[in-house]
Amino acid sequence: MVRLDKNKIRGTLTRAAVKDPEPAKPTETAAPVTASPEGSDLEKFSHYVLKQLIEENVPPTPANFQIYFEKLLEQKPLSFRKRINELLEADTANDDEQRAKIEREIKEGFSQIKGMLQGIATIYKNLTVMKGLVKKRQDELNVNTSQLAVQNVITTFGGDLGKLSSLMERQLAGLKDGYEKAGATLKSIEQEAIFDTRYGIYNKRYLIKTLESEKESIKKYGYSSTLMLLKVKDAALSRIINSKDRAVLLRNISKLLLKTSRRSDVVAHYGEGVFAMVMKHTNIESGKKACERIAELIYATSFFIGEMELDIDIELAIVELHGEKGVDESLIAALDALPLSGRDQEAYAVGTL
């Protein structure tokens, strides 16, 4: 069992300090955000966010407004952030999060269906065994004609059992057909899944989709976004013999990444223990600061297997996304840079395109 020693985490890591440089103040400054009432706070801050979008020539789409809302909110005092977040608690789940929840429920339902059919199959198997036993006893009675009455009873019982078996076969054929159809449907849904249930984050399919979308937006609107990849070094993982312990360790890493991310960021599992974070509207310099703080958080966290503390070592790389570069190029650049980082090397490496 892997566990984290929370007492050894130095402070709480946020993305508050990881932001693009403050845009130049306009000649006519936005009205200051007052402490009360709370509704007025939210309204004035929303106007301020919209004004920043317009000044930076970023289309005020709902997605961009959300990103800038979170980004600018991080610059406000803690008391103000707390009041605004309380107002927004009812608006925390987006469509993708809801879809991920549905996918988990579908998979649970699939498991229940499989368990039910396995139970039915066991019943059928037992009936088949009983049928074989009856036939065996019947054959034994055929040798001894003095037990005619008993033989007649057994024969009648065998006929009834045959009818029951025939009925069960038809029922199971129908269930099998329904199971195959349900399995095909669920497999089709799984092929479109966006959630990695092992680590509680998005999967590679959704990551690629996000990078493609971000590439087009960058090409069209000219803003900056970055991609970060993180991997626990193979040498560190090889010291963990139990595969379940390795899985728990990686799951804890994914939780730490979620802790450091904004809601507009996309945290995903790329595959083979490589985690990714797409930081929208974040330039390369702010991305570097994010890498520094993520590395600091992980190295300041104590990981245990039982009572044995692990000497964790990670690879961390970042690359700036470009509208003219393909998604594969960006991923390859970040993957190639991963081995250049580590505890005894640079905290992170910058991929080049």
Side-chain angles (χ1 to χ4, degrees), residues 137-153:
R137 300 308 176 202
Q138 186 176 14
D139 291 339
E140 292 174 353
L141 290 173
N142 286 337
V143 178
N144 190 347
T145 56
S146 63
Q147 299 184 9
L148 183 61
V150 176
Q151 183 179 354
N152 289 337
V153 172

Side-chain angles (χ1 to χ4, degrees), residues 87-139:
L87 292 174
L88 301 177
E89 280 182 355
D91 192 33
T92 56
N94 59 32
D95 291 341
D96 288 336
E97 291 169 340
Q98 183 65 20
R99 179 177 171 179
K101 178 177 180 293
I102 292 172
E103 288 175 5
R104 289 196 298 269
E105 293 174 348
I106 289 174
K107 288 182 179 180
E108 290 175 1
F110 193 17
S111 297
Q112 292 173 352
I113 292 173
K114 288 178 67 177
M116 180 180 65
L117 290 178
Q118 287 171 354
I120 293 175
T122 301
I123 293 173
Y124 178 76
K125 182 179 179 181
N126 290 338
L127 286 174
T128 302
V129 172
M130 184 179 295
K131 183 178 179 181
L133 290 174
V134 170
K135 186 177 185 307
K136 180 180 179 181
R137 300 308 176 202
Q138 186 176 14
D139 291 339

Side-chain angles (χ1 to χ4, degrees), residues 15 18-20 67 207 210-211 214-215 218 223-229 262 264-267 276-291 294 317-323 330-331 334 348-351 353:
R15 289 283 300 281
V18 184
K19 57 181 182 293
D20 294 345
I67 292 170
L207 172 65
T210 299
L211 289 172
E214 199 65 9
K215 170 194 166 186
I218 292 170
Y223 62 80
S224 298
S225 291
T226 54
L227 167 68
M228 185 202 72
L229 295 184
R262 296 186 301 234
S264 58
D265 295 335
V266 173
V267 180
M277 183 188 294
V278 181
M279 296 178 281
K280 301 180 181 180
H281 290 274
T282 302
N283 62 25
I284 192 67
E285 294 304 319
S286 295
K288 290 177 181 179
K289 293 178 182 177
C291 286
I294 289 171
I318 191 170
V319 64
E320 186 173 12
L321 299 175
H322 294 278
S330 299
L331 285 166
Y348 63 90
V350 179
L353 291 170

Side-chain angles (χ1 to χ4, degrees), residues 211-269:
L211 289 172
E212 292 283 3
S213 175
E214 199 65 9
K215 170 194 166 186
E216 294 303 317
S217 296
I218 292 170
K219 184 177 180 180
K220 188 174 182 180
Y221 302 119
Y223 62 80
S224 298
S225 291
T226 54
L227 167 68
M228 185 202 72
L229 295 184
L230 183 151
K231 177 186 178 184
V232 178
K233 280 190 175 293
D234 292 335
L237 281 178
S238 64
R239 291 194 291 269
I240 305 174
I241 299 175
N242 190 299
S243 60
K244 291 184 178 179
D245 288 338
R246 286 197 297 270
V248 172
L249 172 65
L250 293 176
R251 194 153 50 242
N252 285 331
I253 295 292
S254 72
K255 289 179 180 178
L256 289 176
L257 283 177
L258 281 174
K259 179 181 179 181
T260 67
S261 65
R262 296 186 301 234
R263 282 195 302 163
S264 58
D265 295 335
V266 173
V267 180
H269 180 227

Side-chain angles (χ1 to χ4, degrees), residues 39-50:
S40 179
D41 282 350
L42 181 58
E43 181 180 350
K44 290 180 178 179
F45 183 69
S46 298
H47 281 296
Y48 173 63
V49 173
L50 182 59

